[in-house]
Amino acid sequence: MALIHKIWRVFVYQLRRSVISTRIVMLFIMVGIYIYSTIQPVADFSAAVGIAAGPWAFPHLVNDYICQLVIMAGVVFLFCDAPFTGESHMYIVSRSGRVAWSGGHALYIIVMSLIYVMFIILSGTLPLLSNLEWGANWGKIWGTLARTDASQQFGLQFTVNDYLIGAFTPAKAMLLSFLLEWACVSWLGLVTYLFNTLTKKMTGTFISAAFILLDIMIANEWTPGAYAFSPITLAQLRAFTGRNLTYGITLNYAVRFFIITILVLIVLCMFSGNIEKYKTVISRRFSNKKRRKENYNG
């Protein structure tokens, strides 16, 4: 219980720091403007034909190459300052311990990822509020944009995916896309934290950026089997169809991938501080042994 309390205190401390962080506030503003402007043509089309649109933009956004790329680029910027050290870093670590410090930040990454994804959903819904329709079906607007050239006429900058409309109800597509996107953002944040902590450089940031580009690289050059370790791909429902199925790229596989790897990453993050401590101790012992050997030979 004491460890959980310390983890919670570290989490609250980091969350408060983020609320007043100019960098994070500006990130949310820029991503919000991008999402809002991307969905605005849907609202324009809805107003032009006089038919209300359902609030189902999010699944199509995260299943579009460009939109997903922009969203995930924001994730890299969101967590690029991991392991979140500051002026009071050493004081808090001495009070909480390295495990609680890292555990609190792992919790922070997961919660901040949730906030980030929910903010994107909200930003994609705001343009539609003036002509919004709630219902159990996709509605005429999304079906028309997916199956006609109306999207080109109104200048949509993303693809309304016809597969999603045919294979899922809007509520199911929203829920699955939300959970997969949350898992993907958390995964990238944890990878960034882990490798930044271990190397004391921005190695984790660059690794996360590489994973963001991996989806496009595989589509252009590699076998679809490589999608099995591409978190950006596994966060997209459109990936679980066609030839990808022959490589085992299914929704069930994506769920297992994220659950297992996120749990492993959380454990590694929690003990990353101790790993670095042990590396330092071993390095010192090796240096001392080498120095004694040199003195003896001398």
Side-chain angles (χ1 to χ4, degrees), residues 21 79 115 141 153 165 282 287 293:
S21 169
F79 298 121
I115 294 172
I141 293 297
Q153 296 179 25
I165 293 176
I282 294 172
S287 297
K293 185 177 180 180

Side-chain angles (χ1 to χ4, degrees), residues 171-191:
K172 185 176 181 179
M174 281 287 292
L175 178 61
L176 291 176
S177 295
F178 164 71
L179 293 174
L180 290 172
E181 193 76 352
W182 180 21
C184 183
V185 174
S186 300
W187 194 95
L188 291 173
L190 292 168
V191 165

Side-chain angles (χ1 to χ4, degrees), residues 65 209-223 226-227 230:
Y65 274 114
F211 272 111
I212 292 173
L213 298 174
L214 183 61
D215 179 69
I216 298 175
M217 292 168 58
I218 295 172
N220 292 327
E221 300 291 341
W222 292 1
T223 171
Y227 283 137
S230 173

Side-chain angles (χ1 to χ4, degrees), residues 131-255:
N131 201 18
L132 189 64
E133 175 188 51
W134 294 92
N137 300 316
W138 287 100
K140 293 182 178 180
I141 293 297
W142 294 108
T144 302
L145 290 173
R147 293 160 182 161
T148 69
D149 63 350
S151 59
Q152 298 177 8
Q153 296 179 25
F154 282 83
L156 262 71
Q157 300 300 312
F158 71 103
T159 301
V160 179
N161 197 292
D162 188 33
Y163 166 73
L164 296 185
I165 293 176
F168 302 94
T169 64
K172 185 176 181 179
M174 281 287 292
L175 178 61
L176 291 176
S177 295
F178 164 71
L179 293 174
L180 290 172
E181 193 76 352
W182 180 21
C184 183
V185 174
S186 300
W187 194 95
L188 291 173
L190 292 168
V191 165
T192 301
Y193 181 89
L194 176 62
F195 287 97
N196 280 5
T197 300
L198 292 177
T199 64
K200 296 185 178 179
K201 297 179 181 178
M202 296 185 68
T203 307
T205 303
F206 291 120
I207 291 175
S208 294
F211 272 111
I212 292 173
L213 298 174
L214 183 61
D215 179 69
I216 298 175
M217 292 168 58
I218 295 172
N220 292 327
E221 300 291 341
W222 292 1
T223 171
Y227 283 137
F229 54 85
S230 173
I232 311 301
T233 305
L234 296 175
Q236 299 173 328
L237 293 175
R238 65 176 175 81
F240 312 131
T241 184
R243 188 171 58 155
N244 290 353
L245 295 176
T246 63
Y247 293 92
I249 312 301
T250 64
L251 178 59
N252 288 336
Y253 172 81
V255 171

